[in-house]
């Protein structure tokens, strides 16, 4: 593959994983895998002299999510560069000493907490606001939620400056995490994948009561912006200041010369397994603030601090059984039921084995001893089978011939097993239904795991259209244990309100393989009405920029073979055509937004651009038509200037968008 092509591919991958990690709280790859991709991109960029202004290596991941007000940080919340070895740390230290023209630097060494960064502002000693990291420049205002956390002092009592941003990491203790997950599982069958994920989901919960009911914890470790009357000049003194003011500070922090840094990192690593919270490395910081200032930042990370990352945690355990589960699209996936192990904070009892090829590659048997590995938030994996300790009790795995959910004969498609019984298979019906009603699809409130199971098991829902006939079972539903009359009435209201979905949502709701939100949106824009999409040929679909052969085939196959009862469903609903609004003055213009705005949220701007026919885009290229420019714009502005792209500033947004 050509270098430029590989750069492009990795960039897209990293952007996707940033989105999954920061915006959706549902990462799909390990931190180590992310780091490897990132390192590869950096290397390629270096070797190819690519300027890559819009590269993920030049920006902090993540964007602010909806529903909370946005707020700019006084000083950006940045990331840290990583080192993985003593040699790499040595290079970091050499650069530090070169910049400050002094040796014998004193460093602090402290755990790198695997939680959620938060910036809390105190004015005249009073807590006035709390903002999540967001995109590093602008985060979400979560003050109300932060006020629920008992451990966070609401006042700085001693030597409070006029204004100061205190930075820290919010997390759940491992025991609390397990308790929360047990309760959630009982209530709706869903769990958080990791303590970090639970902390993210809790601090961005719109219901303060939920936040209050969960014992979030915090460690403070840094300063953002502050007024001139804050005169502390070393990290060690700052930590003391925090302690004196009763701010929770981690007690594994140490201060030492460079020669002792590795020892301190090792000390933290060796205590890792016994801690009641999750860490994924150590952070090494230059102690002296004057030196920190001199060193400053490069691109997205400080030159005065570095994260010394630990390897992913792994443990040996026993395979109790290998079972098979049926997903929404009929794919039958093997998974190992293992003797539970605690790995990076979460109790793991099931591990996916992905497909038949993976089963063969591992050569795994029931009763085998296997190595399970998991980094941070990410899905655990079996990386090795220890065949040396086999004792004859191992049993080979029975590959099913029949679907474990509906007993239909399974088909083999490459490395996958598939049940093609569609909605007649209860597991597929359940998977489809959960997706169909979800927030970004038909958006029906009041349908959780428990009630969905009931609706399917009791036979009230056999195909999509049945959702709209649930009122026929009003009495029965109201008599179900655990579902009050009011909640059923609200459910009916929400179902009624969903009868006129817009085309994008509806396409997404169909749950066609590999047609998610983005593709659904592109299809809606291209075909404008559902009828046209339904009768589109392979050739028609391939006319679209962003649809490849596989997706086009999936779509054709879906409409030919669907079992969701599409015709019946269409009798119940009225799909709203994709309208490029009466005012389509932005028709097909590619518009990039950068920076933050006083009077608009980025989501609002994107929505309006879409409504008026424009295409919000994420990176600047020669194809970009306009750049909407906010505060603290970063590199996109520079690139737009170089390419001579027209710029719209906040004052002119109203005119430009014809608001
Ligand atoms: S200091 C300029 N100290 O790691 C950045 N960060 O990867 C200085 N983190 O955004 C941050 N533990 O959310 C610092 N002891 C620690 C930390 C820590 C966790 C997080 C923090 C930061 C991210 C960077």
């Amino acid at each position: 593959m050509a270098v430029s092509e590989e750069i492009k591919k990795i960039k897209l991958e990293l952007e996707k994983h940033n989105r999954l990690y920061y915006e959706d709280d549902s990462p799909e790859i390990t931190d180590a895998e992310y780091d490897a991709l990132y390192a590869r991109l950096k290397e390629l960029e270096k070797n190819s002299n690519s300027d890559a202004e819009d590269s993920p290596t030049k920006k902090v991941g993540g964007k602010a999510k909806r529903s909370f007000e946005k707020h700019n940080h006084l000083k950006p919340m940045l990331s840290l560069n990583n080192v993985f070895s003593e040699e790499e740390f040595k290079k970091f230290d050499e650069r530090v000493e070169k910049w400050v023209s002094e040796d014998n630097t004193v460093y602090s060494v402290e755990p790198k907490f695997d939680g959620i960064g938060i910036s809390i502002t105190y004015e005249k000693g009073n807590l006035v606001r709390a903002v999540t990291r967001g995109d590093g420049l602008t985060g979400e205002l979560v003050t109300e939620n932060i006020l629920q956390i008992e451990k966070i002092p609401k006042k700085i009592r001693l030597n409070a400056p006029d204004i100061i941003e205190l930075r820290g990491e919010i997390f759940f203790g491992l025991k609390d995490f397990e308790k929360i997950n047990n309760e959630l599982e009982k209530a709706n069958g869903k769990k958080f994948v990791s303590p970090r994920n639970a902390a993210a989901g809790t601090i961005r919960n719109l219901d303060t009561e939920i936040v209050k009911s969960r014992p979030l914890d915090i460690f403070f470790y840094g300063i953002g912006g502050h007024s001139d009357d804050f005169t502390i000049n070393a990290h060690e003194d700052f930590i003391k200041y925090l302690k004196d003011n009763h701010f929770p500070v981690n007690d594994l922090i140490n201060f030492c010369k460079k020669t002792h840094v590795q020892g301190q990192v090792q000390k933290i690593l060796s205590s890792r397994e016994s801690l009641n919270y999750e860490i994924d490395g150590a952070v090494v910081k230059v102690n002296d603030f004057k030196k920190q200032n001199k060193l400053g930042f490069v691109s997205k990370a400080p030159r005065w601090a570095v994260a010394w990352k630990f390897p992913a945690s792994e443990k040996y355990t026993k395979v109790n059984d290998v079972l098979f589960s049926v997903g929404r699209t009929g794919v039958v996936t093997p998974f190992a039921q293992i003797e539970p192990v605690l790995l990076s904070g979460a109790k793991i009892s099931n591990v996916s084995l992905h497909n038949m090829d993976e089963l063969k590659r591992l050569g795994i048997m029931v009763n085998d001893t296997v190595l399970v590995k998991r980094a941070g938030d990410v899905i655990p994996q079996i990386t090795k089978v220890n065949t040396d300790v086999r004792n004859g009790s191992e049993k080979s795995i029975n590959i099913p011939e029949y679907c474990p959910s509906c007993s239909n004969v399974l088909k083999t498609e490459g490395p996958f097993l598939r049940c093609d019984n569609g909605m007649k298979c209860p597991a597929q019906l359940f998977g489809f239904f959960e997706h169909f009603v979800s927030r970004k699809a038909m958006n029906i409130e009041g349908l959780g795991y428990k009630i969905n199971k009931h609706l399917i098991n009791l036979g009230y829902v056999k195909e999509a259209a049945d959702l709209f006939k649930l009122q026929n079972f009003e009495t029965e539903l109201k008599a179900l244990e655990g579902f009050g009359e009011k909640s059923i009435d609200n459910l009916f209201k929400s179902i009624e309100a969903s009868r006129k979905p817009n085309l994008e949502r509806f396409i997404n709701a169909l749950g066609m393989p590999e047609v998610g939100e983005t593709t659904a949106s592109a299809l809606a824009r291209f075909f404008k009405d559902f009828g046209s999409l339904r009768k589109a040929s392979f050739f028609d679909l391939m006319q679209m920029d962003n649809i490849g052969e596989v997706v086009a085939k999936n779509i054709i196959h879906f409409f030919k073979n669907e079992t969701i009862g599409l015709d019946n469903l269409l009798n119940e609903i009225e799909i709203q055509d994709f309208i490029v609004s009466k005012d389509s003055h932005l028709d097909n213009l590619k518009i990039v937004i950068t920076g933050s705005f006083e009077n608009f949220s980025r989501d609002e701007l994107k929505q309006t651009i879409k409504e008026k026919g424009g295409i919000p885009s994420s990176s600047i290229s020669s194809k970009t038509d306009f750049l909407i420019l906010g505060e603290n714009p970063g590199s996109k502005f520079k690139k737009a200037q170089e390419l001579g792209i027209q710029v719209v500033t906040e004052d002119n947004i109203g005119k430009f968008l014809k608001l």
Side-chain angles (χ1 to χ4, degrees), residues 613-633:
I615 304 173
S617 318
S618 56
S619 56
I620 296 267
S621 73
S622 54
K623 288 192 187 149
T624 310
D625 295 295
F626 288 94
L627 174 74
I628 301 190
L629 178 70
E631 286 287 304
N632 300 319

Side-chain angles (χ1 to χ4, degrees), residues 59-221:
K59 59 190 178 198
V60 182
K63 281 184 232 130
K65 215 176 192 171
R66 258 190 225 186
S67 5
F68 283 101
E69 244 181 83
K70 306 295 180 306
H71 203 278
N72 292 347
H73 300 294
L74 285 179
K75 266 206 181 158
M77 287 181 86
L78 294 149
S79 348
L80 291 165
N81 287 325
N82 294 333
V83 297
F84 295 90
S85 64
E86 199 184 357
E87 296 80 73
E88 286 178 14
F89 175 71
K90 220 166 148 201
K91 274 195 206 138
F92 164 80
D93 167 69
E94 278 163 14
R95 187 165 72 156
V96 165
E97 300 205 326
K98 200 172 119 203
W99 273 78
V100 296
S101 320
E102 255 181 70
D103 48 18
N104 269 333
T105 315
V106 173
Y107 289 106
S108 66
V109 185
E110 60 197 77
K112 183 170 191 299
F113 314 107
D114 198 8
I116 295 296
I118 189 88
S119 183
I120 309 183
T121 305
Y122 292 80
E123 284 180 12
K124 302 212 178 327
N126 296 308
L127 191 162
V128 292
R129 87 182 65 84
V131 185
T132 61
R133 172 167 144 168
D135 65 3
L137 301 172
T138 306
E140 292 164 329
L141 208 48
V142 291
T143 320
E144 272 308 300
N145 286 351
I146 284 293
L147 288 172
Q148 312 303 323
I149 305 178
E150 268 176 41
K151 291 203 174 163
I152 298 180
K154 311 299 175 285
K155 274 186 188 309
I156 300 177
R157 298 195 183 273
L158 304 170
N159 298 325
D162 246 8
I163 182 162
I164 187 165
E165 286 179 329
L166 296 180
R167 304 260 160 96
E169 199 84 353
I170 295 180
F171 61 95
F172 279 114
L174 299 182
K175 294 211 178 80
D176 290 326
F177 168 68
E178 208 169 314
K179 209 167 131 213
I180 291 166
N181 255 357
N182 285 341
E183 280 163 14
L184 277 177
E185 195 171 24
K186 257 189 239 151
N188 61 17
K190 288 227 167 112
K191 297 200 289 188
F192 286 115
V193 295
S194 70
R196 181 187 184 283
N197 186 256
T202 304
I203 206 58
R204 294 193 295 197
N205 202 301
L206 290 166
D207 184 348
T208 45
E209 287 305 309
I210 290 185
V211 186
K212 203 173 180 171
S213 71
R214 297 182 186 160
L216 271 171
D217 210 332
I218 187 163
F219 284 127
F220 285 86
Y221 51 63

Side-chain angles (χ1 to χ4, degrees), residues 289-394:
F289 285 172
K290 256 196 257 126
K291 287 187 184 171
Q292 287 189 4
N293 282 335
K294 209 163 164 187
L295 283 153
F297 297 85
V298 58
S299 163
K300 64 177 191 121
R303 287 197 197 84
W304 46 265
V306 79
W308 191 318
K309 293 296 273 286
F310 295 157
S313 59
E314 50 187 13
K315 272 188 193 148
Y316 278 104
T317 188
K318 216 180 106 194
V319 176
N320 290 332
D321 208 350
V322 171
L323 302 172
F324 292 78
S325 77
V326 190
R328 167 159 69 87
T329 54
V331 175
V332 179
T333 308
F335 67 97
Q337 271 190 339
I338 54 168
E339 204 49 45
V341 276
L342 200 66
L343 279 181
S344 2
K347 194 167 101 190
I348 315 291
S349 14
N350 293 317
V351 185
S352 173
L353 294 164
H354 308 294
N355 56 47
M356 302 310 126
D357 281 359
E358 180 69 358
L359 275 186
K360 263 188 234 142
R361 191 185 71 79
L362 285 169
I364 193 171
M365 295 172 89
V366 175
N367 281 341
D368 258 340
T369 300
V370 293
L371 190 61
V372 184
K373 190 167 175 174
R374 176 170 188 269
D377 271 352
V378 186
I379 305 155
Q381 279 182 311
I382 290 183
T383 51
K384 211 167 109 187
V385 176
N386 188 354
T387 47
D388 296 343
V389 297
R390 281 188 175 161
N391 59 10
S393 70
E394 298 74 25

Side-chain angles (χ1 to χ4, degrees), residues 364-535:
I364 193 171
M365 295 172 89
V366 175
N367 281 341
D368 258 340
T369 300
V370 293
L371 190 61
V372 184
K373 190 167 175 174
R374 176 170 188 269
D377 271 352
V378 186
I379 305 155
Q381 279 182 311
I382 290 183
T383 51
K384 211 167 109 187
V385 176
N386 188 354
T387 47
D388 296 343
V389 297
R390 281 188 175 161
N391 59 10
S393 70
E394 298 74 25
K395 284 184 228 117
S396 50
I397 290 152
N398 295 324
I399 310 282
E401 282 173 54
Y402 304 100
C403 174
S405 176
C406 69
S407 305
N408 186 36
V409 177
L410 295 177
K411 281 193 177 147
T412 303
E413 282 176 12
F416 298 102
L417 282 179
R418 184 188 289 280
C419 165
D420 62 5
N421 210 5
M423 296 304 110
K424 285 196 212 105
C425 170
Q428 288 177 65
L429 177 60
F430 181 78
F432 164 77
F433 192 62
E434 265 209 319
H435 171 77
F436 185 71
V437 301
S438 64
R439 197 164 55 86
K440 289 178 176 170
M442 297 296 279
N443 190 24
I444 294 168
E445 279 170 39
L447 283 177
Y449 176 88
K450 235 162 78 181
I451 189 159
N452 292 352
K453 278 262 166 205
H454 280 306
L455 294 177
I456 287 169
N457 290 343
L458 294 169
Y460 300 158
V461 170
K462 295 198 186 80
E463 60 171 57
D466 293 342
L467 174 69
F468 299 95
K469 297 175 190 152
L470 280 179
Q471 268 182 331
N472 296 340
F473 301 104
E474 182 172 352
T475 329
E476 289 90 333
L477 288 175
K478 286 184 173 169
L480 276 180
E481 211 179 303
F483 302 99
E485 278 200 22
K486 198 154 166 244
S487 67
I488 299 293
D489 284 336
N490 286 340
L491 170 62
F492 289 153
K493 268 190 212 142
S494 185
I495 292 172
E496 283 316 300
S498 76
R499 280 191 196 259
K500 291 186 175 176
N502 72 34
L503 184 56
E504 292 170 74
R505 268 180 188 286
F506 183 69
I507 298 172
N508 184 27
L510 294 175
M512 296 184 269
E514 292 183 61
V515 178
E517 230 191 318
T518 315
T519 309
S521 174
L523 287 165
R525 167 183 297 278
F526 191 82
F527 288 99
K528 308 269 188 302
D529 64 88
F530 186 66
S532 307
L533 170 64
R534 195 178 181 186
K535 58 174 193 274

